[in-house]
Amino acid sequence: MAYELVLLEGDGIGPEVSDATVAVLAASGVTIDWLRMPAGAGAVPTHGTPLPDATLRAIERCRVALKGPSTTPVGGGFTSVNVAIRQALDLYVSLRPVRSIPGVRTRHDGVDLVIFRENTEGLYKGMEHEPVPGVVETLRIISADACRRICRWAGDWARAEGRHRLTLVHKATIMKQSDGLFIKSFREVGDEDPFLRRDDALVDDVVRELVLDPTGFDCLVMENLYGDVLSDLCAGLVGGLGVVPGANIGDRYAVFEAVHGSAPDIAGQGLANPTALIQSAVLLLRHIGERTAAARVERALLSVLAAGEVRTRDLGGSADTAAFRDAVIAALAQEAA
Ligand code: NAI
Ligand code: MG
């Protein structure tokens, strides 16, 4: 059976890491017909918008997309395409597993965390205005429904994957009402599902503990901005942005993308590490029920990283994107042989 899935290549290093990932998936034994749709800064000159309606309709039809990073202008300009997709398709969960990679040396070993970031609310609603000149107000929206559904999804996922603890990250000492509502919702959902250990911690305490000893945490659920910041921090714990995958998931659609951005500093030079997007594709394969292929791709990828001979520059190697892709494909072929 062939799957029809949407591919958004993205900007900057997007086409490079997308090509590598598509090639690895083609070697995985799963047949995917990719529907390539425009999105991001690259779509503006041709379509007059960074997120054409046809792209959203294609994701709605196919339900699942793989997405490269998109460039967002700083300060003014168009709204982030990522934020727009998450809101338009109600992809309320940002799932980001963060794991140490055997053979990739970092400050800490044995990191195995999962971040669940609420993906539709908080400060990322983008509701800003200037009530009087020189004063800008940004609205931070937290609703009970959104808190409950992310907490419920995170708890269900944690239990299904055999995790043992879910920690709510907040700052309810200061934002007593909004983060207070998050805590209340978290506890209500916990009362319905007593088989998972749940606790909560202040965001500043959590970041300090994460850099000192990240092995002390298991699953972390939090609102949008904390999740954005902690995801990048946790990426730094396991080898950087080039290795950490992500997924944006809702009740009807899912878009799989790495945590990293379009990396304009290395775009077009063949230097990008496709590991993060390949890992995102592993999450995609699991999501569509192709668990065997997902495990094969993951094993092949990790074996190349563990061997250490073929690595991209961000991990201290000298291989280019294509050489790394070919090494993963060769490892897949070897496994099949
Ligand atoms: P970035 O993640 O693109 O780059 C930060 C640093 O990490 C750079 O030095 C870059 O070279 C390196 N890096 C990132 N991914 C890498 C990879 N796969 N292999 C090797 N090195 C890698 O973050 P930055 O520079 O802050 O943002 C660039 C653009 O990306 C901005 O327009 C931003 O808005 C956008 N962005 C898009 C995201 C998305 O589409 N999901 C997420 C984050 C940022
Ligand atoms: Mg980010």
Side-chain angles (χ1 to χ4, degrees), residues 71-295:
T71 299
T72 307
V74 178
F78 59 80
T79 311
S80 159
V81 171
N82 306 311
V83 174
I85 291 178
R86 291 165 196 168
Q87 291 184 355
L89 300 177
D90 204 19
L91 307 177
Y92 59 91
V93 182
S94 169
L95 167 70
R96 292 170 167 185
V98 181
R99 263 192 302 161
S100 295
I101 296 174
V104 174
R105 277 184 58 129
T106 55
R107 203 174 287 268
H108 304 280
D109 292 325
V111 180
D112 184 7
L113 297 166
V114 184
I115 293 179
F116 302 93
R117 163 185 174 191
E118 201 292 319
N119 225 4
T120 60
E121 289 195 337
L123 289 163
Y124 287 55
K125 277 276 191 206
M127 295 166 83
E128 293 189 314
H129 68 140
E130 193 170 5
V132 291
V135 179
V136 172
E137 194 173 39
T138 304
L139 298 178
R140 183 171 186 267
I141 307 295
I142 305 284
S143 71
D145 284 349
C147 295
R148 274 197 217 107
R149 66 181 182 172
I150 179 78
C151 292
R152 190 168 293 122
W153 201 96
D156 289 349
W157 192 93
R159 293 229 285 119
E161 297 290 323
R163 314 291 302 206
H164 63 272
R165 178 178 161 212
L166 179 63
T167 304
L168 173 72
V169 180
H170 65 87
K171 189 73 184 182
T173 45
I174 305 298
M175 283 163 286
K176 293 178 192 290
Q177 290 203 36
S178 52
D179 279 10
L181 181 58
F182 220 125
I183 294 184
K184 182 170 172 276
S185 309
F186 178 73
R187 290 184 182 152
E188 282 167 3
V189 170
D191 285 342
E192 295 162 16
D193 173 17
F195 293 110
L196 183 71
R197 190 174 144 211
R198 288 165 209 256
D199 55 10
D200 61 81
L202 289 165
V203 62
D204 38 356
D205 289 339
V206 171
V207 289
R208 186 191 59 249
E209 285 308 313
L210 279 171
V211 294
L212 289 173
D213 179 15
T215 62
F217 293 101
D218 185 3
C219 298
L220 303 166
V221 60
M222 65 203 77
E223 66 85 57
N224 216 333
L225 175 65
Y226 306 152
D228 193 358
V229 176
L230 260 68
S231 304
D232 275 37
L233 181 142
C234 289
L237 297 172
V238 296
L241 286 167
V243 299
V244 177
N248 301 293
I249 302 175
D251 291 335
R252 301 187 65 80
Y253 316 108
V255 175
F256 294 79
E257 65 175 340
V259 172
H260 66 70
S262 55
D265 52 334
I266 57 165
Q269 301 173 49
L271 297 174
N273 186 351
T275 296
L277 195 62
I278 297 172
Q279 298 255 50
S280 307
V282 168
L283 296 175
L284 181 156
L285 288 174
R286 282 199 201 121
H287 191 80
I288 62 174
E290 295 287 349
R291 283 190 171 249
T292 308

